[in-house]
Every structure is written in C-alpha cells, then in structure tokens.
Amino acid sequence: MKVKNNRLEALRMIISSQELGSQDELLEALRKEGFKLTQATLSRDLKQLKVAKAASMRGTYVYVLPNETMYKRVSSPNSIREMMQVPGFLSIHFSGNMGVIKTRPGYASSIAYNIDSSAIDSILGTIAGDDTIFIVVKQGVSTQEVVSALSAVVPNLH
C-alpha cells in the first residue's frame, strides 16, 4: 500500500508542477521518477484522484487536480523525488475559526487534498492556492485540537 500512496503523491505533484496532456506523458514522467505501471493502473489512479482535463493558458488541454483549473505552475519545478523529500509545510496561523497554512510553492493543493481526504471533523473545508491553504474550523474547536488533528496528516507540523 505504501508504494501506491507514494505513486499517488508523485502523480499529484507531477500534475501540479507540469502541463501534461496525455497518459503517455504521465507514464513517462512517472517512469523518470522510478514508478513503472501500466496504462490501466494509471487510469485507475487518475480516477481515484479525480483528475480532469482543463484548458491551459496556451489553449491545450492538460491534466489538473480537483479545484485546480487555474493552478499556477512553477517555471522550473524541482524533481518529484526532491519535492517528496522536502516537507512542504511552512507555518499555520489562526484568526477565529479560520486558519491559513503557508507552504512551499506548489505544495498547497497536495496538502489540502490530504487534509480534505482525512475527513478531520474539526475542519469544515479547505481552499488551496499555490503556496497557501485557507481552512475553516468548526465553531468551538480550539486551535490546539486542530493542530493536533492536522499533525497526523501534514508532515512536520508542530
């Protein structure tokens, strides 16, 4: 299962950092990162991640993650292996029942996806940009409770 989770995280990062329009391009990008899989497995992974195609700024159609059709791509991304080894989380701050998580460029959507997928009861939802995640916290939940719940999902959250 760990291999699949690593592959899905790599796929998220590839889609977030590159404009790829075909499954062949995705398979090649995954192969460069050491993942060998069939087109059928890739299709299942894309379905599980709810990946869609959207028009890019150049008018071509590229793969995007949910809620990411206007995603800003970095011009010279790190390799996926480098991104997976460097924690993306930088900081978290709260004001009332709202929180802002700062991440390294390109990490916000992956971290927000992990938060949303974890169904943390104290968090009503997230909105992710390139390096910032906005979270809405349930009324009456302490920031310590939220940080404690997030620490199981967000690597290096203290």
Side-chain angles (χ1 to χ4, degrees):
M1 191 59 142
K2 184 174 177 161
V3 171
K4 181 178 181 181
N5 289 339
N6 287 343
R7 184 180 71 240
L8 291 174
E9 186 64 20
L11 185 56
R12 275 191 216 97
M13 289 183 182
I14 288 169
I15 291 169
S16 294
S17 64
Q18 300 175 40
E19 289 191 356
L20 302 175
S22 73
Q23 287 192 4
D24 286 339
E25 291 173 330
L26 284 174
L27 284 169
E28 182 57 31
L30 285 164
R31 278 190 195 101
K32 286 181 182 175
E33 298 302 327
F35 296 95
K36 298 192 181 359
L37 60 149
T38 65
Q39 182 275 327
T41 299
L42 176 60
S43 288
R44 285 189 294 275
D45 289 351
L46 293 173
K47 184 176 181 178
Q48 181 176 343
L49 294 175
K50 297 182 171 98
V51 171
K53 275 194 166 181
S56 72
M57 298 301 269
R58 291 183 271 153
T60 60
Y61 283 86
V62 296
Y63 288 104
V64 293
L65 293 169
N67 301 322
E68 202 183 9
T69 55
M70 298 305 290
Y71 190 80
K72 292 187 301 187
R73 287 178 166 78
V74 290
S75 56
S76 57
N78 293 335
S79 79
I80 303 306
R81 184 158 280 126
E82 288 172 322
M83 285 195 281
M84 288 177 77
Q85 292 173 349
V86 176
F89 170 82
L90 295 177
S91 66
I92 186 169
H93 297 283
F94 294 93
S95 178
N97 73 324
M98 298 176 290
V100 174
I101 298 173
K102 289 297 203 172
T103 71
R104 296 184 189 283
Y107 283 81
S109 66
S110 293
I111 292 173
Y113 177 84
N114 289 343
I115 294 168
D116 291 339
S117 296
S118 297
I120 298 171
D121 288 335
S122 57
I123 296 177
L124 298 175
T126 65
I127 300 172
D130 182 49
D131 61 359
T132 305
I133 303 167
F134 174 76
I135 62 173
V136 178
V137 178
K138 264 188 186 174
Q139 206 73 15
V141 176
S142 73
T143 58
Q144 292 84 4
E145 289 177 76
V146 174
V147 169
S148 177
L150 285 172
S151 65
V153 178
V154 180
N156 294 354
L157 186 116
H158 304 292

